[in-house]
Amino acid sequence: MSEIEEEIVEVGRVKSRWRLLDDGRRTRAMSWVMAVMLFLTVLAGALGLGTLGAATSLDSQLAGRLTVQLVGADDDAAADLARRLRAMPEVKAVRQVPRTELAELLEPWLGDAGLDADLPMPAMIDVDLRDPADAAAARVSAAVRAAAPGARVDRNAAWLAPVRSFVLSLAWLAGGLVLLMAGATTAIVLLAARAGLDTHRDTIEVLHMLGSTDVQVARLFQRRIALDTLIGGAIGTVFALATVALLGSRIASLDSALTNGIGLSALGWALLALMPLAFALLAMAAARVTVIRALRQVL
């Protein structure tokens, strides 16, 4: 038997004994680690996309709305003011809030007393602006005070600003968590690749003697790590999306104006579903760079 044939036989023995990069059929720890990582990452991504959508919904639904209160005014005076507001070019829609709806809002504090017809209650008008800019709101407010000097105009954006700021902070925090999880995944890949190099150093040396290049060896590592990441990431993503769907149904049942915008669009669901592929590509690139750099320094 020639020297080359002996080396080929030795490679076969080493590969059968070590199974380069744990290429067996049993479940690998790497897959489960990636499943946990992707589960947390998808949840963080869903939080970021959902809160960002909620902030956008708040801007479109409430930021351009004014609430006019007429204390001591009758229904005719409120209706007349509503007609004047509808005629303004800055106004998109006007709605006079019925007394029964106001009574329902006061019921938790006043009980059945809020339904008493003799109970003095201000007339309220909701005004939706075409443009939520300050200038448009100022013109409408001035027109209201000119028509009804005792009227009070509340701009929803004033009390909405802290809520919007908090929601956007949650979105930025979720985005930071996604980046943090991507960095942690890269670190895990680096550790796994270096551990594989140390474990299979003898096999790699034999492959080098047979003419294998660093790039060819790196492909073995990156293919195995990418597959583990993709399989584990798919498992974690499925559980995460199921969790997000469950939470979404619970939020929808609240039927609140502040929570109606919290949800994922079709694009959001697609982005979350593609996360395993994105992380697999990230892991493959990290493994390739790590292995090639290590082989050039050591071997």
Side-chain angles (χ1 to χ4, degrees), residues 3 11 29 58 63-64 75 96 117 135 144-145 172 182 216 243 269 277:
E3 182 178 351
V11 170
L58 287 175
D75 292 339
Q96 188 173 350
V144 169
R145 293 189 178 95
W172 281 107
Q216 290 174 330
T243 303
W269 285 104
L277 180 59

Side-chain angles (χ1 to χ4, degrees), residues 14-209:
V14 172
K15 291 184 67 176
S16 62
R17 184 169 65 249
W18 292 98
R19 285 201 177 272
L20 185 60
L21 295 181
D22 190 21
D23 207 15
R25 293 185 178 180
R26 71 179 188 278
T27 302
R28 286 164 294 276
M30 182 75 172
S31 296
W32 291 111
V33 171
M34 291 302 172
V36 174
M37 297 295 289
L38 264 296
F39 177 81
L40 298 176
T41 303
V42 171
L43 288 183
L47 173 62
L49 294 174
T51 51
L52 187 61
T56 304
S57 177
L58 287 175
D59 286 341
S60 61
Q61 294 181 9
L62 299 179
R65 175 173 294 181
L66 302 178
T67 300
V68 180
Q69 298 184 35
L70 299 174
V71 180
D74 55 16
D75 292 339
D76 292 336
D80 181 65
L81 179 58
R83 283 193 297 270
R84 294 188 181 186
L85 290 174
R86 290 190 184 95
M88 295 186 66
E90 295 87 357
V91 175
K92 180 173 62 175
V94 176
R95 175 177 175 269
Q96 188 173 350
V97 181
R99 180 185 175 88
T100 55
E101 186 174 330
L102 294 176
E104 291 177 358
L105 294 175
L106 295 175
E107 186 176 1
W109 291 273
L110 301 181
D112 295 337
L115 301 176
D116 189 355
D118 296 330
L119 179 68
M121 191 175 297
M124 297 186 66
I125 302 173
D126 286 335
V127 181
D128 291 330
L129 303 178
R130 298 184 185 277
D131 184 2
D134 294 338
R139 287 193 295 268
V140 174
S141 298
V144 169
R145 293 189 178 95
R152 175 181 175 182
V153 181
D154 294 326
R155 189 177 180 186
N156 291 356
W159 62 265
L160 178 63
V163 178
R164 184 179 184 276
S165 178
F166 173 72
V167 171
L168 287 179
S169 298
L170 287 180
W172 281 107
L173 175 61
L177 289 176
V178 171
L179 295 178
L180 182 62
M181 298 302 290
T185 301
T186 303
I188 292 174
V189 170
L190 297 180
L191 293 176
R194 290 187 176 277
L197 285 173
D198 294 337
T199 301
H200 305 292
R201 184 178 298 274
D202 294 338
T203 303
I204 295 173
E205 289 179 352
V206 174
L207 291 175
H208 272 122
M209 287 188 295

Side-chain angles (χ1 to χ4, degrees), residues 272-290:
L272 294 179
L274 290 175
M275 273 194 175
L277 180 59
F279 270 63
L281 294 175
L282 175 64
M284 185 171 61
R288 181 184 182 87
V289 173
T290 302

Side-chain angles (χ1 to χ4, degrees), residues 238-256:
V238 168
F239 281 97
L241 292 179
T243 303
V244 171
L246 177 61
L247 292 176
S249 63
R250 298 295 298 273
I251 291 175
S253 65
L254 296 178
D255 193 20
S256 172

